[in-house]
Amino acid sequence: MTTLDGAGDGAHEDAGIIDTISVIRTKRDGAELSDAQIDWVIDRYAREHAHVADEQMSALLMAILLRGMSRREIARWTEAMINSGRRMDFSGLRRNGRRLVTVDKHSTGGVGDKITLPLAPLVASFGVAVPQLSGRGLGHTGGTLDKLEAIPGWRAEIDPADMVTQLERVGAVICAAGGDLAPADRRLYALRDVTATVEAIPLLASSIMSKKIAEGTGALVLDVKFGTGAFLKTEAESRELAQTMVELGESAGVRSRALLTDMNTPLGRTAGNALEVAESVEVLAGGGPDDVVELTLALAREMLDAAGLDVDPVVNLANGKAMDVWRAMITAQGGDPAAPLPQARHTDTVVAGDSGVVTRVDAWDVGIAAWRLGAGRAVPGENVQAEAGITVHAKPGERVRRGDPLFTMHTRTPERFAAARASLATAVTVDDAPSERTPLIAGRVTVGA
């Protein structure tokens, strides 16, 4: 749980002296950490070799996972991580003498989640600045930067001054966060990943929001996913995380809201880097899979509303303005939007063993298969294959006959096919009759709701 009933006032610090063991003991025993304890432990951990060792922070993270945190603790933990680095400021953005409103989006991650790629230029095409600081994939979840690096010449690293210039001229930037933006979170995330504490809602919320608040955006829309392909498996958990993050954003002066979205089924018909870029371009051209279009438009409406605009984003998909911003954005970051995308030298197909209606395509199984083909990485810094991934030929509700293709696997290293095929063997359920379609968007969360 996020909150603790009957939590105490925190450990007593004798004469203002705090030590790591007392901080761990406080949370281990179910009490609240004081503001001073939180500030001290984050500051010391952010500075390597300064009193707090990895094994000590690991113990504290596990205590937080098991004991939870109050909303006050989460807010202070988030603030301390923000204060470990610099804050960005986009309040001076101007175009033709007019101040540009900034709005960003964050997804908690999933399989086939390429939404940022069409979404950022679509929203920017309405005169809104979209400073999208994105990350790389790890394990079964894809990374936005990995996808875009499939485009020849495109670069993720941008100088802050160039970022401001691009926002004023183009309206959208998708890039890597600088090393001095919430640096405490960078160390904590790496530790959470190897200590089975990633799923702790207080730590998830503070990790995401420390970076987004430090980024300096005026408004934020969160896509909080649940299901087999997400970090949180249930809608109830995703709602708790969404509510926590929305409250953190609003308290920090960032207009925030969230959508709860289903990640039991992969988004679209591709999972992989170049494959997902191609599918995103289809959306910008007015086509693309229905679920990708649906979620892109839903998030665009939320972002534009948060920016104070009452417009229909469908218009700029149809008239080509969103595509124009996409091309300008890619070009500004060194990429060639007209260049052919990498294609795998080797493909293999998985076919249906039965005839009937597809009732399930499991996002986890598809994500693991794409990862095994080389689309993702097992450890930070590992290279990925731009061309590797999965094409999904049949989605829930569609009929297949025995022998019809279900998946096409793509890779430059065909020895990977066997492991990927083993994952896909459990990915699909074919039944005699269709089942009721699960809504892609399960709910909306705003402050106080």
Side-chain angles (χ1 to χ4, degrees), residues 359-444:
T359 58
R360 181 187 67 94
V361 178
D362 188 84
W364 168 265
D365 289 337
V366 172
I368 291 297
W371 170 67
R372 287 175 171 171
L373 290 168
R377 54 179 59 81
V379 295
E382 186 178 24
N383 290 330
V384 298
Q385 292 185 27
E387 61 270 56
I390 303 288
T391 300
V392 181
H393 296 291
K395 296 287 290 282
E398 298 176 357
R399 290 191 174 273
V400 295
R401 290 183 293 185
R402 181 182 176 89
D404 283 351
L406 295 176
F407 305 104
T408 297
M409 301 179 287
H410 307 254
T411 187
R412 74 169 74 119
T413 45
E415 62 270 20
R416 295 174 179 263
F417 282 139
R421 182 179 285 273
S423 179
L424 294 175
T426 59
V428 174
T429 300
V430 176
D431 212 333
D432 293 331
S435 58
E436 186 175 345
R437 181 179 180 269
T438 303
L440 177 60
I441 301 171
R444 183 174 182 268

Coordinates of all heavy atoms in Angstrom, one line a residue, residues 359-444:
T359 N -8.7 -15.1 -29.3 CA -9.2 -14.4 -28.1 C -8.2 -13.8 -27.2 O -8.5 -13.0 -26.3 CB -10.0 -15.4 -27.3 OG1 -9.2 -16.5 -26.9 CG2 -11.2 -15.9 -28.1
R360 N -6.9 -14.1 -27.5 CA -5.8 -13.6 -26.6 C -4.5 -13.6 -27.4 O -4.2 -14.5 -28.1 CB -5.6 -14.5 -25.4 CG -4.5 -14.0 -24.4 CD -4.4 -15.0 -23.3 NE -3.8 -16.3 -23.8 CZ -2.5 -16.6 -23.8 NH1 -1.6 -15.7 -23.3 NH2 -2.0 -17.7 -24.3
V361 N -3.8 -12.4 -27.3 CA -2.4 -12.3 -27.8 C -1.7 -11.7 -26.6 O -1.9 -10.5 -26.3 CB -2.3 -11.5 -29.0 CG1 -0.8 -11.4 -29.4 CG2 -3.1 -12.1 -30.2
D362 N -0.8 -12.5 -25.9 CA -0.3 -12.1 -24.7 C 0.9 -11.1 -24.9 O 1.9 -11.4 -25.5 CB 0.2 -13.3 -23.9 CG 0.6 -12.9 -22.5 OD1 -0.3 -12.8 -21.6 OD2 1.8 -12.7 -22.3
A363 N 0.8 -9.9 -24.3 CA 1.8 -8.9 -24.5 C 3.2 -9.3 -23.9 O 4.2 -9.1 -24.5 CB 1.4 -7.6 -23.8
W364 N 3.2 -10.0 -22.7 CA 4.4 -10.5 -22.1 C 5.2 -11.4 -23.1 O 6.4 -11.3 -23.3 CB 4.1 -11.1 -20.8 CG 5.3 -11.8 -20.2 CD1 5.6 -13.2 -20.3 CD2 6.4 -11.3 -19.5 NE1 6.8 -13.5 -19.7 CE2 7.3 -12.3 -19.1 CE3 6.7 -10.0 -19.0 CZ2 8.4 -12.1 -18.4 CZ3 7.9 -9.8 -18.3 CH2 8.7 -10.9 -18.0
D365 N 4.5 -12.4 -23.6 CA 5.1 -13.4 -24.4 C 5.7 -12.8 -25.7 O 6.8 -13.1 -26.1 CB 4.1 -14.5 -24.8 CG 3.7 -15.4 -23.6 OD1 4.5 -15.5 -22.7 OD2 2.7 -16.0 -23.7
V366 N 4.9 -11.8 -26.3 CA 5.4 -11.2 -27.5 C 6.6 -10.3 -27.2 O 7.6 -10.3 -27.9 CB 4.3 -10.3 -28.1 CG1 4.8 -9.5 -29.3 CG2 3.2 -11.3 -28.6
G367 N 6.5 -9.6 -26.0 CA 7.7 -8.8 -25.6 C 8.9 -9.6 -25.4 O 10.0 -9.2 -25.8
I368 N 8.8 -10.7 -24.7 CA 10.0 -11.5 -24.5 C 10.5 -12.1 -25.8 O 11.7 -12.2 -26.0 CB 9.6 -12.7 -23.5 CG1 9.3 -12.1 -22.1 CG2 10.7 -13.7 -23.5 CD1 10.5 -11.5 -21.5
A369 N 9.6 -12.5 -26.7 CA 10.1 -13.0 -28.0 C 10.9 -11.9 -28.8 O 11.9 -12.2 -29.3 CB 8.9 -13.5 -28.8
A370 N 10.4 -10.7 -28.8 CA 11.1 -9.6 -29.5 C 12.4 -9.3 -28.8 O 13.4 -9.1 -29.5 CB 10.2 -8.3 -29.4
W371 N 12.5 -9.4 -27.5 CA 13.7 -9.2 -26.8 C 14.7 -10.3 -27.1 O 15.9 -10.0 -27.4 CB 13.4 -9.2 -25.3 CG 14.6 -9.3 -24.4 CD1 15.5 -8.3 -24.2 CD2 14.9 -10.4 -23.5 NE1 16.5 -8.8 -23.3 CE2 16.1 -10.0 -22.8 CE3 14.3 -11.6 -23.2 CZ2 16.7 -10.9 -21.9 CZ3 14.9 -12.4 -22.3 CH2 16.1 -12.1 -21.6
R372 N 14.2 -11.5 -27.2 CA 15.1 -12.7 -27.5 C 15.7 -12.6 -28.9 O 16.7 -13.1 -29.2 CB 14.4 -14.0 -27.3 CG 14.2 -14.3 -25.8 CD 13.3 -15.6 -25.6 NE 13.3 -16.0 -24.2 CZ 12.5 -16.9 -23.7 NH1 11.7 -17.6 -24.6 NH2 12.6 -17.3 -22.5
L373 N 14.9 -11.9 -29.8 CA 15.4 -11.7 -31.2 C 16.4 -10.6 -31.3 O 17.0 -10.5 -32.4 CB 14.2 -11.4 -32.1 CG 13.2 -12.6 -32.3 CD1 11.9 -12.1 -33.0 CD2 13.9 -13.7 -33.2
G374 N 16.6 -9.8 -30.3 CA 17.6 -8.8 -30.3 C 17.1 -7.4 -30.3 O 17.8 -6.4 -30.3
A375 N 15.7 -7.2 -30.1 CA 15.1 -5.9 -30.1 C 15.3 -5.2 -28.8 O 15.2 -3.9 -28.8 CB 13.6 -6.0 -30.4
G376 N 15.6 -5.9 -27.7 CA 15.8 -5.3 -26.4 C 17.1 -5.7 -25.8 O 17.9 -6.5 -26.4
R377 N 17.4 -5.2 -24.6 CA 18.6 -5.5 -23.9 C 18.4 -6.1 -22.6 O 17.4 -5.9 -21.9 CB 19.5 -4.2 -23.8 CG 18.7 -3.1 -23.1 CD 19.6 -1.8 -22.9 NE 20.1 -1.3 -24.2 CZ 19.4 -0.5 -25.0 NH1 18.2 -0.2 -24.7 NH2 19.9 0.0 -26.1
A378 N 19.3 -6.9 -22.1 CA 19.2 -7.6 -20.8 C 19.9 -6.7 -19.8 O 19.5 -6.7 -18.6 CB 19.9 -8.9 -20.8
V379 N 20.9 -5.9 -20.1 CA 21.5 -5.0 -19.2 C 21.7 -3.6 -19.8 O 21.7 -3.5 -21.0 CB 22.9 -5.5 -18.8 CG1 22.8 -6.8 -18.0 CG2 23.8 -5.7 -20.0
P380 N 21.7 -2.5 -19.0 CA 21.8 -1.2 -19.6 C 23.1 -1.1 -20.4 O 24.2 -1.6 -20.0 CB 21.9 -0.3 -18.3 CG 21.2 -1.1 -17.3 CD 21.5 -2.5 -17.5
G381 N 23.0 -0.4 -21.5 CA 24.2 -0.2 -22.4 C 24.4 -1.2 -23.4 O 25.2 -1.0 -24.4
E382 N 23.7 -2.3 -23.4 CA 23.9 -3.4 -24.4 C 23.3 -2.9 -25.7 O 22.3 -2.2 -25.8 CB 23.1 -4.6 -23.9 CG 23.3 -5.8 -24.8 CD 22.6 -7.1 -24.3 OE1 21.6 -6.9 -23.5 OE2 23.0 -8.2 -24.6
N383 N 23.9 -3.2 -26.8 CA 23.4 -2.9 -28.1 C 22.1 -3.6 -28.5 O 21.9 -4.8 -28.0 CB 24.5 -3.1 -29.2 CG 25.6 -2.2 -29.1 OD1 25.5 -1.1 -28.7 ND2 26.8 -2.7 -29.5
V384 N 21.3 -3.0 -29.3 CA 20.1 -3.6 -29.7 C 20.1 -3.7 -31.3 O 20.8 -2.9 -31.9 CB 18.8 -2.9 -29.3 CG1 18.7 -2.9 -27.8 CG2 18.7 -1.5 -29.9
Q385 N 19.3 -4.6 -31.8 CA 19.2 -4.7 -33.3 C 18.1 -3.8 -33.7 O 16.9 -4.0 -33.3 CB 18.9 -6.1 -33.7 CG 20.1 -7.1 -33.5 CD 19.8 -8.5 -34.1 OE1 19.0 -8.6 -35.0 NE2 20.4 -9.5 -33.5
A386 N 18.3 -2.9 -34.6 CA 17.3 -2.0 -35.1 C 16.2 -2.7 -35.8 O 15.0 -2.4 -35.7 CB 17.9 -0.9 -36.0
E387 N 16.6 -3.8 -36.5 CA 15.7 -4.5 -37.4 C 14.9 -5.7 -36.7 O 14.0 -6.2 -37.3 CB 16.4 -5.1 -38.6 CG 17.5 -6.1 -38.3 CD 18.9 -5.4 -38.1 OE1 19.0 -4.5 -37.2 OE2 19.8 -5.8 -38.8
A388 N 15.3 -6.0 -35.5 CA 14.7 -7.2 -34.9 C 13.4 -6.9 -34.3 O 13.0 -5.8 -33.9 CB 15.7 -7.7 -33.7
G389 N 12.5 -7.9 -34.2 CA 11.2 -7.8 -33.6 C 10.2 -8.7 -34.1 O 10.5 -9.7 -34.8
I390 N 8.9 -8.4 -33.9 CA 7.8 -9.3 -34.2 C 6.7 -8.5 -35.0 O 6.4 -7.4 -34.6 CB 7.1 -9.8 -32.9 CG1 8.1 -10.6 -32.0 CG2 5.9 -10.7 -33.2 CD1 8.6 -11.9 -32.5
T391 N 6.2 -9.1 -36.0 CA 5.0 -8.6 -36.7 C 3.9 -9.5 -36.2 O 4.0 -10.8 -36.3 CB 5.1 -8.7 -38.2 OG1 6.2 -7.9 -38.6 CG2 3.8 -8.2 -38.8
V392 N 2.8 -8.9 -35.7 CA 1.6 -9.7 -35.2 C 0.6 -9.7 -36.3 O 0.1 -8.6 -36.7 CB 1.1 -9.0 -33.9 CG1 -0.1 -9.8 -33.4 CG2 2.1 -8.9 -32.9
H393 N 0.2 -10.8 -36.8 CA -0.7 -10.9 -38.0 C -2.1 -11.1 -37.5 O -3.1 -10.7 -38.3 CB -0.3 -12.1 -38.9 CG 1.0 -11.9 -39.5 ND1 1.3 -11.0 -40.5 CD2 2.2 -12.6 -39.3 CE1 2.5 -11.1 -40.9 NE2 3.1 -12.1 -40.2
A394 N -2.4 -11.6 -36.3 CA -3.8 -11.8 -35.9 C -3.9 -11.2 -34.5 O -3.2 -11.5 -33.6 CB -4.1 -13.3 -35.9
K395 N -4.9 -10.3 -34.3 CA -5.2 -9.7 -33.0 C -6.5 -10.3 -32.5 O -7.3 -10.9 -33.2 CB -5.3 -8.2 -33.2 CG -4.0 -7.5 -33.6 CD -3.0 -7.5 -32.5 CE -3.3 -6.5 -31.4 NZ -3.1 -5.1 -31.7
P396 N -6.8 -10.1 -31.2 CA -8.1 -10.6 -30.6 C -9.3 -10.2 -31.4 O -9.4 -9.0 -31.8 CB -8.1 -10.0 -29.2 CG -6.6 -9.9 -28.9 CD -5.9 -9.5 -30.1
G397 N -10.2 -11.1 -31.6 CA -11.4 -10.8 -32.4 C -11.3 -11.2 -33.9 O -12.3 -11.3 -34.6
E398 N -10.1 -11.5 -34.3 CA -9.9 -11.9 -35.8 C -9.9 -13.4 -35.9 O -9.4 -14.1 -35.1 CB -8.6 -11.3 -36.3 CG -8.6 -9.8 -36.2 CD -7.3 -9.1 -36.7 OE1 -6.4 -9.9 -36.9 OE2 -7.3 -7.9 -36.7
R399 N -10.4 -13.9 -37.1 CA -10.5 -15.3 -37.3 C -9.2 -15.8 -38.1 O -8.7 -15.1 -38.9 CB -11.7 -15.7 -38.2 CG -13.0 -15.5 -37.4 CD -14.2 -16.1 -38.2 NE -15.4 -16.1 -37.4 CZ -15.7 -17.1 -36.5 NH1 -15.0 -18.1 -36.4 NH2 -16.8 -17.0 -35.8
V400 N -8.8 -17.0 -37.7 CA -7.7 -17.6 -38.4 C -8.0 -19.0 -38.8 O -8.9 -19.6 -38.1 CB -6.4 -17.6 -37.5 CG1 -5.9 -16.2 -37.3 CG2 -6.6 -18.3 -36.2
R401 N -7.4 -19.5 -39.8 CA -7.5 -20.9 -40.1 C -6.2 -21.6 -39.8 O -5.1 -21.0 -39.8 CB -7.9 -21.1 -41.6 CG -9.3 -20.7 -41.9 CD -9.7 -20.9 -43.4 NE -8.9 -20.1 -44.3 CZ -9.1 -20.0 -45.6 NH1 -10.0 -20.8 -46.1 NH2 -8.3 -19.2 -46.3
R402 N -6.2 -22.9 -39.6 CA -5.0 -23.7 -39.3 C -4.0 -23.4 -40.4 O -4.3 -23.5 -41.6 CB -5.4 -25.2 -39.2 CG -4.2 -26.1 -38.9 CD -4.7 -27.5 -38.9 NE -3.5 -28.4 -38.7 CZ -3.1 -28.8 -37.5 NH1 -3.7 -28.4 -36.4 NH2 -2.1 -29.6 -37.4
G403 N -2.8 -23.1 -40.0 CA -1.7 -22.8 -41.0 C -1.6 -21.3 -41.4 O -0.6 -21.0 -42.0
D404 N -2.6 -20.5 -40.9 CA -2.4 -19.0 -41.2 C -1.3 -18.5 -40.3 O -1.0 -18.9 -39.2 CB -3.7 -18.3 -40.8 CG -4.8 -18.5 -41.9 OD1 -4.5 -19.0 -43.0 OD2 -6.0 -18.1 -41.6
P405 N -0.6 -17.4 -40.8 CA 0.5 -16.8 -40.0 C -0.1 -16.1 -38.8 O -1.1 -15.3 -38.9 CB 1.1 -15.9 -41.0 CG 0.1 -15.6 -42.0 CD -0.7 -16.8 -42.2
L406 N 0.5 -16.3 -37.7 CA 0.2 -15.6 -36.5 C 1.3 -14.5 -36.2 O 0.9 -13.4 -35.8 CB 0.1 -16.5 -35.3 CG -1.0 -17.6 -35.3 CD1 -0.8 -18.5 -34.0 CD2 -2.3 -16.9 -35.3
F407 N 2.5 -14.9 -36.4 CA 3.6 -13.9 -36.1 C 4.7 -14.1 -37.2 O 4.9 -15.3 -37.6 CB 4.3 -14.2 -34.7 CG 3.4 -14.2 -33.6 CD1 2.9 -15.3 -33.0 CD2 2.9 -12.9 -33.1 CE1 2.1 -15.3 -31.9 CE2 2.0 -12.9 -32.0 CZ 1.6 -14.1 -31.4
T408 N 5.4 -13.0 -37.5 CA 6.6 -13.1 -38.3 C 7.8 -12.6 -37.4 O 7.6 -11.5 -36.8 CB 6.6 -12.3 -39.6 OG1 5.6 -12.9 -40.4 CG2 8.0 -12.4 -40.3
M409 N 8.8 -13.4 -37.2 CA 10.0 -13.0 -36.4 C 11.0 -12.4 -37.3 O 11.3 -12.9 -38.4 CB 10.5 -14.2 -35.6 CG 9.5 -14.9 -34.7 SD 10.2 -16.3 -33.9 CE 10.2 -17.5 -35.2
H410 N 11.7 -11.4 -36.9 CA 12.7 -10.7 -37.6 C 14.0 -10.6 -36.8 O 14.0 -10.2 -35.6 CB 12.3 -9.2 -38.0 CG 10.9 -9.1 -38.6 ND1 10.8 -8.8 -40.0 CD2 9.7 -9.2 -38.1 CE1 9.5 -8.8 -40.3 NE2 8.8 -9.0 -39.2
T411 N 15.1 -10.9 -37.4 CA 16.4 -10.8 -36.7 C 17.6 -10.9 -37.7 O 17.4 -11.4 -38.8 CB 16.6 -11.8 -35.6 OG1 17.8 -11.6 -34.9 CG2 16.7 -13.2 -36.2
R412 N 18.7 -10.4 -37.3 CA 19.9 -10.6 -38.1 C 20.7 -11.8 -37.7 O 21.7 -12.2 -38.3 CB 20.8 -9.4 -38.1 CG 21.6 -9.2 -36.8 CD 22.7 -8.1 -37.0 NE 22.1 -6.8 -37.0 CZ 22.4 -5.8 -36.1 NH1 23.2 -6.1 -35.1 NH2 21.8 -4.7 -36.2
T413 N 20.2 -12.4 -36.6 CA 20.9 -13.6 -36.0 C 19.9 -14.8 -35.9 O 19.2 -14.9 -34.9 CB 21.5 -13.2 -34.6 OG1 20.5 -12.5 -33.9 CG2 22.8 -12.4 -34.8
P414 N 19.8 -15.6 -36.9 CA 18.8 -16.6 -36.9 C 18.9 -17.7 -35.8 O 17.9 -18.4 -35.5 CB 19.0 -17.3 -38.3 CG 20.4 -17.0 -38.7 CD 20.7 -15.6 -38.1
E415 N 20.0 -17.8 -35.1 CA 20.1 -18.7 -34.0 C 19.2 -18.3 -32.9 O 19.0 -19.1 -31.9 CB 21.6 -18.8 -33.5 CG 22.2 -17.5 -33.0 CD 22.9 -16.7 -34.1 OE1 22.6 -16.9 -35.3 OE2 23.7 -15.8 -33.7
R416 N 18.7 -17.1 -32.9 CA 17.7 -16.6 -31.9 C 16.3 -17.1 -32.1 O 15.5 -17.0 -31.2 CB 17.7 -15.1 -31.9 CG 19.0 -14.5 -31.4 CD 18.9 -12.9 -31.6 NE 20.1 -12.2 -31.2 CZ 20.3 -11.7 -30.0 NH1 19.4 -11.7 -29.1 NH2 21.5 -11.1 -29.7
F417 N 16.0 -17.7 -33.3 CA 14.6 -18.0 -33.6 C 14.0 -19.1 -32.6 O 12.9 -18.9 -32.2 CB 14.5 -18.6 -35.0 CG 14.5 -17.5 -36.1 CD1 15.2 -17.7 -37.2 CD2 13.8 -16.3 -35.9 CE1 15.2 -16.7 -38.2 CE2 13.8 -15.4 -36.9 CZ 14.5 -15.6 -38.1
A418 N 14.8 -20.0 -32.2 CA 14.3 -21.1 -31.4 C 13.8 -20.6 -30.0 O 12.7 -20.9 -29.6 CB 15.3 -22.2 -31.2
A419 N 14.5 -19.7 -29.4 CA 14.1 -19.2 -28.1 C 12.9 -18.3 -28.2 O 12.0 -18.3 -27.4 CB 15.3 -18.4 -27.5
A420 N 12.9 -17.5 -29.3 CA 11.7 -16.6 -29.5 C 10.5 -17.4 -29.8 O 9.4 -17.1 -29.3 CB 12.0 -15.6 -30.7
R421 N 10.6 -18.5 -30.6 CA 9.5 -19.3 -30.9 C 8.9 -20.0 -29.7 O 7.7 -20.1 -29.5 CB 9.9 -20.4 -32.0 CG 8.8 -21.3 -32.4 CD 9.3 -22.3 -33.5 NE 9.5 -21.6 -34.8 CZ 8.5 -21.5 -35.7 NH1 7.3 -22.0 -35.4 NH2 8.8 -20.9 -36.8
A422 N 9.8 -20.3 -28.7 CA 9.3 -21.0 -27.5 C 8.4 -20.0 -26.7 O 7.4 -20.4 -26.1 CB 10.5 -21.4 -26.6
S423 N 8.8 -18.7 -26.7 CA 7.9 -17.7 -26.1 C 6.6 -17.5 -26.8 O 5.5 -17.5 -26.1 CB 8.7 -16.4 -26.0 OG 7.9 -15.4 -25.4
L424 N 6.6 -17.5 -28.1 CA 5.4 -17.3 -28.8 C 4.5 -18.5 -28.8 O 3.3 -18.4 -29.1 CB 5.7 -16.9 -30.3 CG 6.5 -15.6 -30.5 CD1 6.9 -15.4 -31.9 CD2 5.6 -14.4 -30.0
A425 N 5.0 -19.7 -28.4 CA 4.2 -20.9 -28.4 C 3.0 -20.8 -27.4 O 2.0 -21.4 -27.6 CB 5.0 -22.1 -28.0
T426 N 3.2 -19.9 -26.4 CA 2.1 -19.7 -25.4 C 1.4 -18.4 -25.5 O 0.6 -18.0 -24.7 CB 2.7 -19.8 -24.0 OG1 3.7 -18.8 -23.8 CG2 3.3 -21.2 -23.7
A427 N 1.7 -17.6 -26.6 CA 1.2 -16.2 -26.7 C -0.2 -16.1 -27.2 O -0.8 -15.1 -27.0 CB 2.1 -15.5 -27.7
V428 N -0.8 -17.1 -27.9 CA -2.1 -16.9 -28.6 C -3.0 -18.0 -28.1 O -2.7 -19.2 -27.9 CB -1.9 -17.0 -30.1 CG1 -3.3 -17.0 -30.8 CG2 -1.0 -15.8 -30.6
T429 N -4.3 -17.6 -27.9 CA -5.4 -18.5 -27.7 C -6.4 -18.4 -28.8 O -6.8 -17.3 -29.1 CB -6.1 -18.2 -26.3 OG1 -5.2 -18.3 -25.3 CG2 -7.3 -19.2 -26.1
V430 N -6.7 -19.5 -29.4 CA -7.7 -19.6 -30.5 C -8.9 -20.4 -30.0 O -8.7 -21.5 -29.5 CB -7.1 -20.2 -31.8 CG1 -8.2 -20.3 -32.8 CG2 -6.0 -19.4 -32.3
D431 N -10.1 -19.8 -30.1 CA -11.3 -20.4 -29.6 C -12.4 -20.5 -30.6 O -12.2 -20.0 -31.8 CB -11.9 -19.6 -28.4 CG -12.5 -20.5 -27.3 OD1 -13.0 -21.6 -27.7 OD2 -12.6 -20.1 -26.2
D432 N -13.5 -21.1 -30.3 CA -14.6 -21.3 -31.3 C -15.4 -20.1 -31.5 O -15.9 -19.8 -32.6 CB -15.5 -22.4 -30.8 CG -14.8 -23.8 -30.9 OD1 -13.9 -24.0 -31.7 OD2 -15.2 -24.7 -30.0
A433 N -15.5 -19.2 -30.5 CA -16.3 -18.0 -30.5 C -15.6 -16.8 -30.0 O -14.7 -17.0 -29.1 CB -17.6 -18.3 -29.7
P434 N -15.9 -15.7 -30.5 CA -15.2 -14.4 -30.0 C -15.6 -14.1 -28.6 O -16.7 -14.5 -28.1 CB -15.7 -13.4 -31.0 CG -17.0 -13.9 -31.5 CD -16.9 -15.3 -31.6
S435 N -14.7 -13.5 -27.8 CA -15.0 -13.1 -26.5 C -15.2 -11.6 -26.5 O -14.9 -10.9 -27.5 CB -13.8 -13.4 -25.5 OG -12.6 -12.8 -26.0
E436 N -15.7 -11.1 -25.4 CA -16.0 -9.6 -25.3 C -14.7 -8.8 -25.4 O -13.8 -9.2 -24.7 CB -16.8 -9.3 -24.0 CG -17.3 -7.9 -23.9 CD -18.1 -7.7 -22.7 OE1 -18.6 -8.7 -22.1 OE2 -18.3 -6.5 -22.3
R437 N -14.7 -7.8 -26.2 CA -13.5 -7.0 -26.3 C -13.2 -6.2 -25.1 O -14.2 -5.5 -24.6 CB -13.6 -6.1 -27.5 CG -12.4 -5.2 -27.8 CD -12.6 -4.3 -29.0 NE -11.4 -3.5 -29.3 CZ -11.3 -2.3 -28.8 NH1 -12.2 -1.7 -28.1 NH2 -10.2 -1.5 -29.1
T438 N -12.0 -6.2 -24.6 CA -11.7 -5.4 -23.4 C -11.3 -4.0 -23.9 O -10.6 -3.8 -24.8 CB -10.4 -6.0 -22.7 OG1 -10.7 -7.3 -22.3 CG2 -10.0 -5.2 -21.5
P439 N -11.9 -2.9 -23.2 CA -11.6 -1.6 -23.7 C -10.1 -1.3 -23.5 O -9.5 -1.7 -22.5 CB -12.4 -0.7 -22.7 CG -13.5 -1.6 -22.1 CD -12.9 -3.0 -22.1
L440 N -9.6 -0.5 -24.5 CA -8.2 -0.2 -24.4 C -8.0 0.9 -23.3 O -7.0 0.8 -22.6 CB -7.8 0.4 -25.8 CG -6.3 1.0 -25.9 CD1 -5.3 -0.1 -25.6 CD2 -6.1 1.6 -27.2
I441 N -8.9 1.8 -23.1 CA -8.8 2.8 -22.1 C -9.7 2.5 -21.0 O -11.0 2.5 -21.2 CB -9.0 4.2 -22.7 CG1 -8.0 4.5 -23.8 CG2 -9.0 5.3 -21.6 CD1 -8.3 5.8 -24.6
A442 N -9.2 2.2 -19.8 CA -10.0 1.7 -18.7 C -10.5 2.8 -17.8 O -11.4 2.6 -17.0 CB -9.3 0.7 -17.9
G443 N -9.9 4.0 -17.9 CA -10.3 5.0 -16.9 C -9.4 6.3 -17.1 O -8.4 6.3 -17.8
R444 N -9.8 7.3 -16.4 CA -9.1 8.6 -16.4 C -9.0 9.1 -14.9 O -9.9 8.9 -14.1 CB -9.9 9.6 -17.2 CG -9.3 11.0 -17.4 CD -10.2 11.8 -18.3 NE -9.7 13.1 -18.6 CZ -10.0 14.2 -17.9 NH1 -10.8 14.1 -16.9 NH2 -9.4 15.4 -18.2

